[in-house]
Amino acid sequence: MVAEQGRAEGTPIRRRGAALENAITDAAWEVLVEQGYHGFTHETVAARAGTSKPVLYRRWPRREDLLVATLARHWRPIDLPDTGSLREDALALLRTVNAERSRLVILLRIQLADYFRETGTSFGELRSRLLPEDRTPPFATIVDRAVERGELTAAPRPERVVNLPFDLVRHDMLMAMGEVPDQAIVEIVDTVWLPLLGLAPDGTRTRR
């Protein structure tokens, strides 16, 4: 593969393969944060990355392709907690999401408004494109672990119920335009989610 020539602080550098693509998607992320989807063009990203438009078009013919590649690089998976307790797993996961994802979720909602209007798609559809097809949702995983430990019975549970804590925290992030107070996270788990699953906050079952 022919190397791409760029400059960093006036010094010629040669980038190729993953190094080149990472440099481009990093530059693309900066453009997206600063200018939103309206300013997110091949020309603008190429200039920021110190490369040429043909280099970008060879890899990502459509602006949408470049956008998904950029978001995929910055949408890092969250490590799942395994504390031995469903309640503690849920709290730890939500606190991590709150700390690491609140800015990103809000950024995507605001800076990608033009993208959603242009494509007629939703935030949920975009998020699905960024996640592996065979990926089990985090809350489904921690619920399955709770069943294996005997905390929960092995019963069918609606997907909406299983994923409810994440949906509620994401809603609160958008309403507050920032991180959610820890008290709200505890309330979502203890007074909303666990009772729906038939558990009290101390782990005892409230129904069979």
Side-chain angles (χ1 to χ4, degrees), residues 36 38 82 105 127 155:
H38 177 73
D82 191 1
V105 168
R127 188 163 63 94

Side-chain angles (χ1 to χ4, degrees), residues 53-64:
K53 288 191 293 181
V55 170
L56 271 67
Y57 277 113
R58 281 198 296 270
R59 290 163 173 78
W60 306 286
R62 300 179 304 163
R63 182 163 61 147
E64 184 177 355

Side-chain angles (χ1 to χ4, degrees), residues 120-190:
T121 57
S122 67
F123 179 81
E125 290 172 306
L126 176 60
R127 188 163 63 94
S128 296
R129 293 186 62 180
L130 299 175
L131 301 175
E133 292 183 3
D134 58 349
R135 177 179 178 273
T136 301
F139 274 94
T141 297
I142 67 174
V143 165
D144 288 344
R145 289 176 181 170
V147 171
E148 293 173 1
R149 290 193 299 262
E151 284 185 89
L152 292 174
T153 58
R157 294 178 174 86
E159 181 179 347
R160 186 178 296 276
V161 171
V162 172
N163 295 323
L164 184 62
F166 176 74
D167 293 336
L168 292 178
V169 165
R170 183 175 58 194
H171 170 271
D172 284 4
M173 285 178 185
L174 294 172
M175 292 298 291
M177 296 298 288
E179 292 187 15
V180 179
D182 194 69
Q183 180 181 355
I185 290 176
V186 174
E187 183 179 21
I188 286 170
V189 173
D190 286 352

